[in-house]
């Protein structure tokens, strides 16, 4: 019965094939050691400065590019900003869905968070009441033939409970701030005969 319910839930996930390799991690490059890289409110040089990155800042998550591909959207606390792409160097040529970068995800109603770490071999789920579940990855897959898009992850714990997550390249709002995230997550927890679903946003985390 439990397996049947889980299989039914898996069929609910959308299959999304999106062009592009974002989000992705970048390092600052080409900025003098006595200077900083400006973060702008809008993707244009004359826009208001809302922050800076140091000349040697590493592992900046770029969510997407502007229409002219000269600016990259980055997270900045409770909002988002833009930096000039010419001062950024991509950390990995692999799509986020195909490499082993850690992911941090969260959602509301109720508040929850998930960290996918250890080369994506561990999935830790925590609810607002601080109850925590830790799962070990049993299976993961990405669509063949695409550089970006979707990651499916199935993980289990020692009690036989399981978690299934689908993470998709798509702009996402946490519903509480003006920040834009680069991935959406749908996650199902299967505990005994009970299956509970959660929705939220994810970001890339440097290891």
């Amino acid at each position: 019965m439990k397996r049947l319910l889980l299989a039914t839930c898996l069929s609910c996930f959308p299959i999304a094939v999106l062009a592009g390799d974002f989000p992705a991690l970048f390092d600052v490059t080409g900025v003098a050691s006595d200077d900083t890289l400006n973060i702008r409110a809008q993707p244009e040089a004359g826009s208001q400065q809302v922050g800076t990155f140091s000349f040697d800042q590493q592992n900046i998550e770029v969510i997407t590019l502007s229409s002219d591909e000269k600016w990259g959207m980055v997270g900045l606390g409770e909002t988002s900003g833009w930096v000039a792409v010419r001062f950024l160097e991509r950390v990995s040529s692999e799509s986020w869905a195909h490499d082993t970068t850690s992911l941090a995800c969260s959602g509301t109603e109720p508040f929850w968070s998930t960290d996918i770490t250890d080369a994506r071999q561990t999935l830790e789920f925590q609810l607002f009441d601080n109850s925590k579940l830790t799962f070990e990855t049993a299976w993961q897959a990405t669509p063949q033939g695409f550089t970006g898009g979707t990651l499916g992850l199935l993980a289990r714990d020692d009690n036989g409970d399981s978690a299934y997550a689908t993470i998709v390249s798509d702009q996402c709002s946490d519903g509480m701030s003006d920040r834009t995230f680069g991935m959406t997550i749908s996650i199902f927890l299967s505990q005994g005969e009970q299956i509970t679903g959660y929705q939220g946003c994810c970001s890339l985390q440097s290891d």
Side-chain angles (χ1 to χ4, degrees):
M1 180 66 177
K2 180 171 133 181
R3 290 185 178 179
L4 177 61
L5 287 171
L6 182 58
T8 301
C9 286
L10 300 191
S11 67
C12 300
F13 286 110
I15 301 300
V17 179
L18 304 177
D21 291 325
F22 292 90
L25 296 178
F26 287 76
D27 295 340
V28 173
T29 185
V31 176
S33 60
D34 60 349
D35 202 355
T36 57
L37 177 60
N38 291 328
I39 306 172
R40 302 287 182 180
Q42 299 297 328
E44 51 191 42
S47 179
Q48 177 187 2
Q49 179 182 326
V50 293
T52 61
F53 287 124
S54 65
F55 76 95
D56 58 354
Q57 185 77 38
Q58 296 182 322
N59 295 312
I60 299 166
E61 184 186 30
V62 175
I63 306 304
T64 189
L65 298 182
S66 59
S67 58
D68 60 7
E69 299 186 348
K70 294 181 178 180
W71 297 84
M73 179 190 288
V74 298
L76 186 65
E78 296 295 300
T79 187
S80 298
W82 297 85
V83 297
V85 171
R86 69 180 183 275
F87 295 113
L88 297 177
E89 181 177 16
R90 192 182 180 108
V91 172
S92 172
S93 59
E94 289 282 350
S95 161
W96 68 267
H98 292 77
D99 66 23
T100 58
T101 304
S102 296
L103 305 173
C105 310
S106 61
T108 60
E109 299 181 5
F111 288 99
W112 61 271
S113 63
T114 292
D115 293 320
I116 302 173
T117 60
D118 301 328
R120 300 188 180 170
Q121 294 305 301
T122 301
L123 186 155
E124 189 172 81
F125 186 91
Q126 184 167 337
L127 281 168
F128 68 98
D129 61 1
N130 291 322
S131 59
K132 187 179 295 185
L133 300 170
T134 301
F135 302 89
E136 298 298 321
T137 298
W139 170 89
Q140 62 180 308
T142 57
Q144 296 299 313
F146 300 97
T147 54
T150 304
L151 170 67
L153 188 75
L154 174 65
R156 297 190 176 98
D157 67 11
D158 294 336
N159 299 318
D161 296 333
S162 59
Y164 184 87
T166 295
I167 304 165
V168 180
S169 290
D170 195 12
Q171 292 189 24
C172 180
S173 170
D174 60 12
M176 300 184 299
S177 69
D178 294 326
R179 180 171 177 173
T180 299
F181 295 83
M183 294 169 283
T184 63
I185 182 172
S186 298
I187 184 167
F188 285 122
L189 298 185
S190 176
Q191 299 173 280
E193 296 297 322
Q194 181 178 0
I195 296 178
T196 309
Y198 301 88
Q199 303 283 331
C201 305
C202 295
S203 59
L204 296 170
Q205 305 292 306
S206 60
D207 294 319

